[in-house]
Amino acid sequence: MEFETVIGLEVHAQLKTKSKIFCSCSTEFGAPPNTHCCPVCLGMPGSLPVLNRKVVESAVKLGLATRSTLNRDNRFARKNYFYPDLPKGYQISQFELPICEHGELDIVVGEEAKTIGITRIHMEEDAGKLVHDEHENASYVDLNRTGTPLLEIVSEPDMRSPEEAVAYLKKLHAIVRYLDICDGNMQEGSFRCDANISLRPRGQKEFGTRTELKNMNSFRNVQLALEFEERRQRDLLLDGGEVIQETRLWNPDAGRTETMRGKEEAHDYRYFPDPDLVPVQLSEELIADLQAGLPELPDARRTRLMQDYGLGEYDADLLCASRELADFFEAANSVCQQPKKLANFIGTELLREVGAENMAACPIQPEALGKLISMVEKGAISGKIAKTVFAEMLEKGGDPEAIVQQKGLSQMSNEDELTALVREIIAASPEQAQQFREGKEKVLGFFVGQLMKKTRGKANPQLANELFRKELA
Ligand code: ADP
Ligand code: MG
Ligand code: ZN
C-alpha cells in the first residue's frame, strides 16, 4: 500500500523585545535565576498586566509578511493548567480571537512551488524554566523567562514531506529574521518547532492519526525526526498496527523518536477571556505605518538579486538565507562589481567558515572582501593567493591590500624574472619537455604547477602559460 505523509507545524518564535509582554522586566538571556521578575510576571494577586506595544507590532508585521487577515479586534485568553514553571496557574495566550488568521507562505522544493496555509498567529507569554541538574534531589524553578513574549504560528496540515516541512520552517525563520522580530536561535530555543505528522493511504480523504514531535533544535533535526517518524508510522501501518495519538520526543543521539506522553485530548484548558486585559484594537493607521515600514522580504530580495546582478537561483537563494548575508553581499559588490565571482567566493569560502545566521560575528568587513575580489580581477593576486589572504582576514580582519604587502604575496608579473624560472624548470624536466613538444598539451599543467610551487603561488598564471609555450616551442 502506498501512503501519503501529512505534516503541520506549530512554531514558537520568541520576540526580541527589551521587556516582557505584560510588565517592564527585562527579557535579557543569562541573568542570575529569578532576578528578572516582578509581581506581574509572578502572578501575584492584585497585580495587573499591561500589554507591550512592541509585541502587537511584531505580530502585525509577521501577519502582513504572511498575507494574513489581521483581526482588528482580538483578545487574550487564559489557558489554565498546573505546572511548577507557571506561577499564575494559567498562561496568557489567545484562543478564539487571535491577532492573525488565514495566512500564507510560499515554498519551493526541488522544482515545485507551493503555498502553505497558516491557520493562525497568536501572541502569548512564555513559562519559566525548571532546572533539574543543579542538585541530585531537587529541581529548581527559574522564572526569568516567565512572561517573555512569543508568537505562536500554526500551519495548516499542508505539507506532504519532511523536505516541505523544512522548507516552510526555513522560510518562516528567514521572515522573522528579516523582520528583525526574533533572533531565530534554534539551539537556545528562541525559534522552536513542534511537528505534527500522520500518514494516510494515498487517495484517502481523511487524515490519519497523528503524532506530535518535540525537541528538535535545528533544521537538520526536524528533517531527521520527521523522516524517522514517517518510517515508523509506515512500518506500523504495513504491519497491520495502529498509530497512537501521542507526543514523542526526538532523541538526536539515538536517532529516533520516543514516547513522551499519551493522548492529549484529555486536556481541558478551560480557556476564557482574560478579564485583566482589554481587547486589542488595531487601528488602520498602525497597520498602514507598519506596512510602510516593512523591509524587503526574502522572496522579493531573491528576485531583485537575480534581476539586478544577473545571479542564478542557486546563488540568490544562498545569499538570501539571511538578511545580514544579503546585506553583506550587496555592500561587498558595491566595491568590486563582480556579482557572480563574489557570490561564488561567498558560497565556497565564506559560508564554510561563517554561517549565514552568524554574519554579525563575521570578522571580515564586506568592503574588504569586495576589495579582495577586485584584486583578483585586476590580476594583483591569483585566486589561490586570495584564499591565503582570506584565511588571514578571517583570523585577524584587516585590509587585503595591507596583508598582501605585509606578507609579500603580490603576483609576480615580471617577465624576465619569470622567464628565468621557466627556463630552470624546463631544463630540470627534459622528459616532460619532450612530451610537450610531441604534442602532449596536458604536460603544460605540470610545468605551470612547478612554477607555482617555486613562487609559492605568486606567478601570474596567464603569463606563466604564455612563457612556457614560448620557451618550449
Ligand atoms: P492541537 O490543539 O492539539 O495543537 P491543532 O488542531 O491545533 O491541534 O493542530 C496542531 C497542528 O497539527 C497544526 O499545525 C495542524 O496543521 C496539524 N495537524 C492537525 N491534524 C493533523 C494530522 N492528522 N496530521 C498532521 N498534522 C496535523
Ligand atoms: Mg498544539
Ligand atoms: Zn515582571
Side-chain angles (χ1 to χ4, degrees):
M1 194 190 296
E2 248 211 88
F3 291 103
E4 182 176 49
T5 302
V6 173
I7 300 170
L9 300 182
E10 293 166 276
V11 173
H12 285 92
Q14 188 179 309
L15 296 176
K16 274 176 79 177
T17 55
K18 285 209 180 73
S19 56
K20 294 185 179 180
I21 182 167
F22 299 119
C23 62
S24 57
C25 290
S26 166
T27 54
E28 192 199 344
F29 185 78
N34 301 307
T35 54
H36 289 170
C37 11
C38 72
V40 172
C41 53
L42 295 178
M44 299 289 182
S47 65
L48 285 172
V50 177
L51 178 58
N52 182 339
R53 185 186 174 88
K54 286 270 183 251
V55 175
V56 178
E57 292 178 359
S58 301
V60 170
K61 284 186 199 171
L62 185 57
L64 290 168
T66 53
R67 310 197 288 269
S68 298
T69 304
L70 302 175
N71 287 327
R72 267 58 175 178
D73 275 290
N74 59 88
R75 57 167 62 232
F76 284 98
R78 290 187 182 179
K79 178 178 180 177
N80 298 281
Y81 65 93
F82 171 78
Y83 207 65
D85 64 5
L86 189 74
K88 293 200 298 290
Y90 61 85
Q91 178 196 26
I92 305 180
S93 181
Q94 296 195 292
F95 189 55
E96 308 107 316
L97 278 172
I99 187 162
C100 308
E101 287 179 286
H102 316 304
E104 290 179 339
L105 199 143
D106 304 322
I107 60 167
V108 179
V109 172
E111 296 290 286
E112 205 194 334
K114 193 170 167 178
T115 299
I116 306 297
I118 291 178
T119 316
R120 55 190 276 139
I121 300 173
H122 68 248
M123 305 176 278
E124 63 183 24
E125 58 178 349
D126 209 344
K129 215 166 26 188
L130 296 183
V131 183
H132 299 297
D133 49 8
E134 289 270 310
H135 194 285
E136 224 182 312
N137 300 317
S139 283
Y140 292 87
V141 187
D142 178 4
L143 296 174
N144 282 348
R145 202 177 65 185
T146 313
T148 297
L150 302 175
L151 292 184
E152 179 171 334
I153 304 110
V154 182
S155 87
E156 290 291 308
D158 283 351
M159 288 151 275
R160 294 291 173 266
S161 67
E163 288 73 24
E164 287 186 10
V166 171
Y168 167 88
L169 198 60
K170 281 189 172 165
K171 178 59 73 67
L172 185 59
H173 185 258
I175 291 174
V176 298
R177 299 264 294 129
Y178 271 61
L179 292 173
D180 202 24
I181 58 174
C182 167
D183 72 19
N185 191 323
M186 293 179 83
Q187 264 80 44
E188 283 177 11
S190 35
F191 186 87
R192 44 192 197 258
C193 151
D194 300 338
N196 294 267
I197 174 169
S198 64
L199 262 54
R200 64 178 169 190
R202 202 167 278 285
Q204 179 181 305
K205 209 160 169 250
E206 301 80 44
F207 291 142
T209 306
R210 69 182 144 130
T211 56
E212 179 169 356
L213 311 183
K214 288 182 182 291
N215 197 41
M216 302 155 298
N217 63 359
S218 67
F219 294 121
R220 177 152 177 75
N221 277 317
V222 172
Q223 172 91 28
L224 291 174
L226 285 169
E227 280 174 1
F228 175 89
E229 187 61 15
E230 200 176 36
R231 251 181 286 126
R232 189 189 71 88
Q233 291 189 13
R234 179 178 301 130
D235 291 348
L236 205 60
L237 293 170
L238 286 175
D239 265 2
E242 266 180 29
V243 174
I244 312 166
Q245 184 173 341
E246 61 180 353
T247 302
R248 298 177 68 86
L249 276 192
W250 171 243
N251 178 336
D253 299 321
R256 60 168 183 257
T257 63
E258 293 162 356
T259 300
M260 176 182 156
R261 58 171 181 249
K263 249 190 179 173
E264 264 189 283
E265 66 180 8
H267 261 156
D268 179 358
Y269 292 117
R270 293 171 191 273
Y271 280 102
F272 65 87
D274 193 308
D276 288 345
L277 286 154
V278 293
V280 183
Q281 298 190 321
L282 306 177
S283 70
E284 297 309 319
E285 197 191 348
L286 175 79
I287 295 171
D289 276 359
L290 292 170
Q291 173 84 62
L294 282 188
E296 187 178 32
L297 292 166
D299 285 345
R301 188 150 200 185
R302 175 179 183 274
T303 307
R304 185 171 62 77
L305 288 194
M306 288 169 64
Q307 279 170 358
D308 288 6
Y309 301 104
L311 296 175
E313 287 183 3
Y314 176 83
D315 284 335
D317 278 339
L318 190 96
L319 295 171
C320 289
S322 79
R323 188 173 160 183
E324 288 79 4
L325 182 61
D327 288 347
F328 185 97
F329 166 79
E330 293 205 82
N333 191 61
S334 70
V335 173
C336 66
Q337 313 287 357
Q338 295 284 341
K340 283 183 190 162
K341 295 207 163 106
L342 176 62
N344 189 33
F345 196 91
I346 289 178
T348 54
E349 304 300 319
L350 183 69
L351 288 180
R352 202 169 50 202
E353 304 292 339
V354 186
E357 290 309 324
N358 219 0
M359 289 304 291
C362 178
I364 299 176
Q365 293 303 309
E367 292 75 16
L369 187 66
K371 202 163 167 186
L372 182 67
I373 301 296
S374 278
M375 289 163 72
V376 178
E377 276 320 293
K378 289 182 189 139
I381 55 171
S382 67
K384 205 166 166 200
I385 293 292
K387 289 181 191 173
T388 311
V389 177
F390 176 73
E392 180 80 9
M393 288 162 76
L394 262 179
E395 209 162 291
K396 303 195 182 109
D399 176 66
E401 240 161 37
I403 294 170
V404 166
Q405 287 264 307
Q406 206 184 337
K407 305 217 147 204
L409 294 172
S410 291
Q411 185 145 287
M412 285 176 68
S413 296
N414 182 313
E415 209 171 315
D416 295 341
E417 218 177 320
L418 285 180
T419 302
L421 292 171
V422 163
R423 286 186 181 148
E424 251 176 59
I425 292 167
I426 293 173
S429 311
E431 222 171 278
Q432 282 85 350
Q434 186 57 32
Q435 287 172 355
F436 181 80
R437 289 189 185 108
E438 283 164 6
K440 234 180 154 186
E441 275 283 317
K442 264 167 85 191
V443 188
L444 195 62
F446 160 80
F447 280 116
V448 174
Q450 292 291 306
L451 182 63
M452 286 302 172
K453 225 183 208 170
K454 261 201 153 73
T455 59
R456 291 190 307 148
K458 290 190 293 179
N460 178 328
Q462 238 173 331
L463 187 57
N465 266 291
E466 275 169 36
L467 291 179
F468 274 113
R469 281 188 190 284
K470 193 165 128 200
E471 295 298 320
L472 284 165

